[in-house]
Amino acid sequence: MVNPGAPLKKGIIRSASRTIQIYEGKYTKNGDNTYELEGFGTITVNMEGDTAASLDFSLDGGRNFTLTAERQTQYPDSQMTNNLCRSWKITHFRLTIKVDGRQMFDKEVKIENLRSLYEALAKLDPDADADDFEEIDESELPKEVIFTKAGTYMVKYGDSSLAVSTWGWENQSKGLLRYSWDYDHLYDPDASGVVTISFPGNNSMKFKESYLEEDEDESYEQIGTWTFRQI
């Protein structure tokens, strides 16, 4: 049998690296465009027409600086785009494994119970146990994802770190979305992937992503399905 290996090593919400840290807390709005962030400082938002903006920061430690940005081209409204571009909480993960087209494994777990999926997966190989697979670190697990109409999305992890990626419609009518963690190579097949998106109702969304490996003797397919609930 093909060694099943550990799932979730990479994919649409599994980045190889995360360098952005999130700071969370309370804020107070002071005036039309100024916000006082508790324990951080003050931010003033300045709009320059419809396509540019600047943020003036005045930090509690006395440091002041300004960041500027230009608004990216937005995807036009459509049912699929409007459904996608929201904030989502990840609730479940399902893993299906097929060898030569025959289903060998199929299990869905709540994201906080991912360890039980690894334990069940280890039973596929009588010589393996759950410790042969990568340890589950809660801080490494993706928790939330936010999609924007600018063709970007952000994944928040258990340790409050953030990874930013890019997306585009591969075939909107079929629910096919292409993504890449390399912003400049979205449509390079070697640097991107494709998932199937569906909206089954009850403010939920599903991503399905597959990995296929074939050799002369057999084929091995791993299908991961993420379930999300709108925040």
Side-chain angles (χ1 to χ4, degrees):
M1 171 184 282
V2 175
N3 187 331
L8 314 181
K9 285 288 190 180
K10 59 183 179 178
I12 187 168
I13 57 174
R14 293 284 288 179
S15 173
S17 62
R18 310 190 300 277
T19 58
I20 303 172
Q21 192 70 26
I22 301 173
Y23 296 91
E24 298 177 290
K26 297 179 181 179
Y27 71 90
T28 303
K29 187 175 182 180
N30 297 330
D32 292 338
N33 301 309
T34 300
Y35 302 84
E36 185 175 344
L37 281 60
E38 184 178 285
F40 184 78
T42 301
I43 298 177
T44 301
V45 181
N46 304 298
M47 294 301 299
E48 301 170 11
D50 296 328
T51 60
S54 64
L55 300 176
D56 296 330
F57 291 81
S58 179
L59 305 188
D60 287 347
R63 182 185 176 199
N64 299 317
F65 61 93
T66 298
L67 298 178
T68 59
E70 292 186 2
R71 187 180 184 186
Q72 298 295 305
T73 302
Q74 305 285 294
Y75 277 96
D77 287 342
S78 71
Q79 183 175 354
M80 289 292 287
T81 299
N82 292 345
N83 284 342
L84 173 68
C85 293
R86 305 169 187 264
S87 297
W88 300 93
K89 180 180 177 63
I90 303 165
T91 60
H92 293 76
F93 178 73
R94 177 182 179 182
L95 180 65
T96 305
I97 292 177
K98 297 180 180 180
V99 176
D100 290 335
R102 184 163 61 98
Q103 184 169 294
M104 304 296 292
F105 181 86
D106 186 35
K107 185 176 179 66
E108 182 177 54
V109 297
K110 292 182 178 179
I111 195 67
E112 61 267 25
N113 296 331
L114 198 58
R115 176 70 182 181
S116 66
L117 186 145
Y118 277 69
E119 293 171 346
L121 185 60
K123 295 178 181 178
L124 279 178
D125 185 346
D127 296 324
D129 66 44
D131 292 333
D132 291 334
F133 298 94
E134 183 184 17
E135 285 290 330
I136 303 289
D137 185 342
E138 288 292 326
S139 69
E140 297 290 319
L141 291 179
K143 298 293 185 179
E144 299 175 9
V145 60
I146 303 171
F147 280 86
T148 78
K149 290 184 178 180
T152 60
Y153 68 93
M154 295 160 283
V155 183
K156 180 182 177 182
Y157 295 85
D159 61 358
S160 291
S161 63
L162 189 72
V164 180
S165 187
T166 184
W167 71 273
W169 289 116
E170 178 80 359
N171 187 318
Q172 187 172 171
S173 63
K174 294 183 178 180
L176 299 179
L177 179 146
R178 182 171 290 277
Y179 72 91
S180 177
W181 293 100
D182 186 338
Y183 190 84
D184 295 321
H185 296 90
L186 176 59
Y187 290 99
D188 180 347
D190 294 327
S192 62
V194 175
V195 298
T196 301
I197 296 180
S198 62
F199 301 95
N202 297 320
N203 295 318
S204 66
M205 174 175 68
K206 290 183 181 291
F207 285 172
K208 182 179 289 187
E209 186 170 14
S210 63
Y211 166 79
L212 179 63
E213 181 180 309
E214 296 179 301
D215 58 29
E216 295 179 357
D217 298 320
E218 64 182 4
S219 65
Y220 166 74
E221 185 177 14
Q222 185 181 98
I223 305 167
T225 304
W226 300 91
T227 299
F228 304 79
R229 184 183 73 247
Q230 182 182 337
I231 299 174

